[in-house]
Amino acid sequence: MAENSGLPTNARAAAGTRWGELLAAAQTGDADAYREFLTAILPFVRTIARQRCWAEDMAEDVVQDVLLTIHRVRHTYEPGRPVKPWLAAITIRRSIDATRKRGRIGKRELFNQSAYETFADPRANHEPDTDAPRVLARMTEGLSRGQKEAIELVKIQEMSLVEASAASGQSVASLKVNIHRAMKKLRLGLVGSLE
Amino acid sequence: MTRPSIDTVIAALAADIRPVTSLPPPARRAISTIAIIMFVVAVGVYLLSDVGALRERQSGREAAFGLEMFAILATGLLAITAAFFASIPGRSRWWRTAPLPALAAWLILSGAGCYGDLVRNGASGWAMGESLHCLVFIVATSALLAGPVVWRLSRASPIEPLPVALLGGLGIAAFSAFILQFFHPFTVTFLDLAVHLVAILAVVVVIALLNRRALAPA
């Protein structure tokens, strides 16, 4: 079944036993054992994923998803029991989930590169050709320094409030107030410019 | 979105490792959960039911009634046990079918009882008793029992929650129907039986619909 299927039966059994021991050690918080376990099971997981997924990139997504699932449900492994059926069940489940998800997306969505283009002339679609940075600079002219900083960190750089607070030195409450006031000013400025 | 390399994922997971307590075997978890349910059942029946009246009501068909009660109880026990096994990856998928023979026996024995009444009492065998009270009773008792059962099942963070929810819902509904038998003040007719089934299905469906939320991995 797995990549080590060429090994003699007792060697495969020994590998399974070793994986069980490593996972049991990982349950106690042993990071080295956990790293060794996750690395050792990769061929086994990859083989099952490839059997059930038609695309290579999808199989690799499943492998990563399986590792994350193992991390979340590692407490359900009962030390002393065979580890391979436990791993195989998780991999098969995640493969089925991925196949269904891909099928659902495929039914409803269509990738069309030209859909991102607005004009036939390729130069018109280049971001640097637009005057967005200048427009943004003009719109933020009327904001105070604190408001500009709050908008820049939270809305443009998409930092969380806590991260923005650490970066700017403003408290989370001040950031919230500054963003609220800045958004109000920007909205009024936008409406004014349209009128 | 760019996928991180597998080595990066492994390194991140190993860095995040914390000790966890391995779950006890599913059989042990099922037994302790069933013990809690049976305690609730025993206390409720002892304090609230009239066993003498029940015996009088079922006189003449003690054996059939006993078998029916056994089938209901077996459905509940097997469904709850199966739910705990189904919540652990890698356990036999046959567990999912474990309660089906007992469920079939329950339906057949209940149906046979109703048919006997129909033959004995004629058209009144189709009459509707106080079935709506039974529906409310089953739903309310199931809501009471669902809390500890769903909580204990959710400890396993099942990777496939739907079968776990269906089996758990069936087990809870069966136990509720078992308790109901002690409080049922009249002989069950076909319509009553249909209402009981609707109540049981409602419990199973509600718990199954809640499965992603209630049994979502921690």
Side-chain angles (χ1 to χ4, degrees):
Chain A
M1 196 175 195
E3 201 167 275
N4 57 5
S5 57
L7 296 173
T9 311
N10 54 357
R12 284 204 301 273
T17 310
R18 175 74 184 139
W19 293 356
E21 289 166 0
L22 289 171
L23 184 52
Q27 287 178 332
T28 64
D30 184 340
D32 292 332
Y34 192 39
R35 193 177 299 108
E36 190 182 340
F37 169 75
L38 293 177
T39 309
I41 61 166
L42 279 179
F44 181 81
V45 171
R46 201 168 268 142
T47 305
I48 299 175
R50 282 178 182 159
Q51 282 168 354
R52 290 176 177 266
C53 302
W54 64 83
E56 179 64 26
D57 67 321
M58 190 174 158
E60 278 308 301
D61 283 346
V62 167
V63 172
Q64 295 205 0
D65 203 8
V66 167
L67 297 187
L68 297 176
T69 307
I70 287 171
H71 189 67
R72 211 174 51 214
V73 302
R74 62 189 189 279
H75 64 294
T76 63
Y77 172 67
E78 196 185 320
R81 282 188 64 83
V83 75
K84 284 185 178 176
W86 182 83
L87 265 180
I90 293 173
T91 311
I92 291 168
R93 188 65 238 163
R94 287 295 168 248
S95 302
I96 293 169
D97 290 346
T99 312
R100 283 185 185 160
K101 188 177 173 191
R102 185 71 67 102
R104 262 198 318 271
I105 291 172
K107 256 189 220 167
R108 293 177 191 161
E109 293 180 16
L110 182 70
F111 181 71
N112 181 7
Q113 180 62 45
S114 60
Y116 296 103
E117 296 176 359
T118 50
F119 300 103
D121 180 1
R123 284 175 304 174
N125 293 301
H126 285 179
E127 192 65 24
D129 290 348
T130 67
D131 58 351
R134 261 174 293 141
V135 172
L136 187 64
R138 200 173 59 234
M139 284 175 73
T140 53
E141 262 171 14
L143 303 181
S144 70
R145 215 181 110 259
Q147 289 169 351
K148 266 187 197 167
E149 195 175 38
I151 287 287
E152 165 73 21
L153 295 176
V154 178
K155 297 292 178 186
I156 298 175
Q157 293 186 25
E158 296 184 338
M159 284 185 182
S160 68
L161 284 168
V162 176
E163 288 167 343
S165 170
S168 65
Q170 297 186 46
S171 69
V172 170
S174 315
L175 280 171
K176 283 183 184 173
V177 171
N178 278 331
I179 290 168
H180 176 73
R181 288 179 181 165
M183 292 302 283
K184 201 171 171 185
K185 274 188 192 172
L186 289 172
R187 205 174 296 129
L188 287 173
L190 193 63
V191 171
S193 70
L194 288 174
E195 286 168 355
Chain B
M1 202 173 74
T2 315
R3 185 196 309 128
S5 78
I6 204 84
D7 294 332
T8 311
V9 173
I10 291 175
L13 294 178
D16 187 47
I17 189 82
R18 265 180 235 105
V20 289
T21 309
S22 174
L23 281 181
R28 201 190 301 165
R29 295 171 59 229
I31 289 169
S32 58
T33 307
I34 288 167
I36 295 170
I37 295 175
M38 293 304 279
F39 177 75
V40 174
V41 172
V43 169
V45 168
Y46 179 75
L47 292 179
L48 303 172
S49 82
D50 186 351
V51 180
L54 173 74
R55 203 173 289 137
E56 196 178 311
R57 221 166 37 239
Q58 300 298 338
S59 66
R61 59 180 296 266
E62 286 86 355
F65 180 70
L67 275 176
E68 193 181 325
M69 291 291 271
F70 178 76
I72 300 174
L73 190 60
T75 305
L77 291 171
L78 287 168
I80 296 283
T81 307
F84 278 96
F85 273 91
S87 70
I88 302 293
R91 293 306 180 113
S92 172
R93 294 175 78 84
W94 284 105
W95 274 107
R96 297 173 187 203
T97 59
L100 295 184
L103 177 63
W106 171 15
L107 295 178
I108 290 167
L109 289 166
S110 300
C114 296
Y115 180 73
D117 285 332
L118 188 66
V119 170
R120 269 196 305 276
N121 304 324
S124 67
W126 285 104
M128 193 157 178
E130 294 180 46
S131 298
L132 288 178
H133 291 131
C134 301
L135 192 142
V136 172
F137 185 96
I138 290 178
V139 171
T141 314
S142 296
L144 182 73
L145 296 178
V149 174
V150 171
W151 179 72
R152 293 194 65 124
L153 284 172
S154 72
R155 304 299 298 155
S157 310
I159 56 168
E160 197 181 355
L162 185 61
V164 178
L166 287 174
L167 289 165
L170 176 63
I172 290 163
F175 273 109
S176 301
F178 180 76
I179 302 171
L180 175 69
Q181 296 291 328
F182 291 94
F183 299 93
H184 216 256
F186 51 87
T187 314
V188 176
T189 66
F190 270 120
L191 273 178
D192 295 329
L193 182 62
V195 172
H196 288 192
L197 290 178
V198 167
I200 288 162
L201 275 177
V203 171
V204 173
V205 168
V206 166
I207 292 179
L209 287 176
L210 289 174
N211 75 78
R212 291 237 172 253
R213 201 178 294 264
L215 299 174

